[in-house]
Amino acid sequence: TLALEAYNLIVDDFDGSCFLQNVRVESNKHGLKHLQALILSEILGEKNINLASVQRGISMIQQRLRRKKVLLILDDVDNRKQLQAFAGRSDWFGPGSRVIVTTRDEQLLKSHKVERTYEVEELNKYDSLQLLIWNAFKRANFDPSYEDVLKRVVTY
């Protein structure tokens, strides 16, 4: 949610952009090559980009995006191969580019030599309850008979 909000706030400052959601799930389902093609298609505004291999995708990302100021958000990354396939080094993209990675694995970021990290703090019980209520009922008010079960869900 925070990554999407950041994307929406700054996307207009870039030549091209891509918000790649659920990298962990999507790479398992469709493969890295498919996601590389999605990144290139979104940023370049081209349809039907076909890649012969992940290595060809790496090469194309480096060649086609090295002069572009891009915003690339990789959401829920869970292994180093994903980072290497989509954003191997900072010189793959033009000056002023930003790559934002969300992950639960801090070691993954360290092994990829990510420059800056930000750890999102856990919500307190009150804020967690408010978020659950909004997601469950799409409004702040709810039937009081649900209060006990909502509190149990937040505690869990």
Side-chain angles (χ1 to χ4, degrees):
T1 301
L2 289 176
L4 182 58
E5 191 62 29
Y7 178 86
N8 290 331
L9 283 171
I10 63 175
V11 69
D12 294 334
D13 297 335
F14 296 87
D15 300 331
S17 63
C18 179
F19 186 101
L20 196 57
Q21 284 185 291
N22 303 317
V23 170
R24 175 178 48 87
V25 172
E26 295 300 318
S27 66
N28 287 333
K29 196 184 295 184
H30 302 289
L32 297 176
K33 189 171 60 167
H34 172 77
L35 297 181
Q36 287 174 321
L38 276 176
I39 290 169
L40 286 163
S41 179
E42 287 271 325
I43 293 174
L44 298 171
E46 297 177 12
K47 302 271 186 207
N48 301 324
I49 293 178
N50 293 310
L51 301 171
S53 66
V54 171
Q55 191 56 46
R56 179 67 186 126
I58 289 171
S59 178
M60 189 177 256
I61 289 171
Q62 288 173 320
Q63 291 170 4
R64 303 280 309 270
L65 303 181
R66 89 173 72 166
R67 290 184 184 88
K68 286 193 171 289
K69 180 180 175 183
V70 303
L71 173 61
L72 176 59
I73 298 189
L74 304 171
D75 176 54
D76 194 21
V77 173
D78 73 337
N79 76 57
R80 190 153 185 222
K81 287 181 182 177
Q82 295 159 345
L83 287 176
Q84 291 170 331
F86 309 138
R89 292 191 322 264
S90 60
D91 65 353
W92 285 18
F93 310 104
S97 292
R98 293 289 177 260
V99 177
I100 298 173
V101 178
T102 69
T103 184
R104 295 176 182 174
D105 185 353
E106 189 177 352
Q107 285 305 116
L108 177 67
L109 299 175
K110 287 179 182 176
S111 72
H112 198 67
K113 297 183 174 88
V114 170
E115 292 177 21
R116 284 182 271 164
T117 62
Y118 175 79
E119 187 171 344
V120 177
E121 292 180 22
E122 190 175 295
L123 293 176
N124 61 39
K125 284 190 177 189
Y126 174 80
D127 289 337
S128 296
L129 180 60
Q130 296 308 307
L131 181 63
L132 176 60
I133 291 166
W134 272 103
N135 280 292
F137 302 108
K138 308 297 183 219
R139 61 180 192 268
N141 300 329
F142 63 96
D143 183 333
S145 65
Y146 290 112
E147 187 169 359
D148 184 52
V149 73
L150 289 169
K151 286 181 177 178
R152 284 190 283 146
V153 167
V154 166
T155 300
Y156 178 75

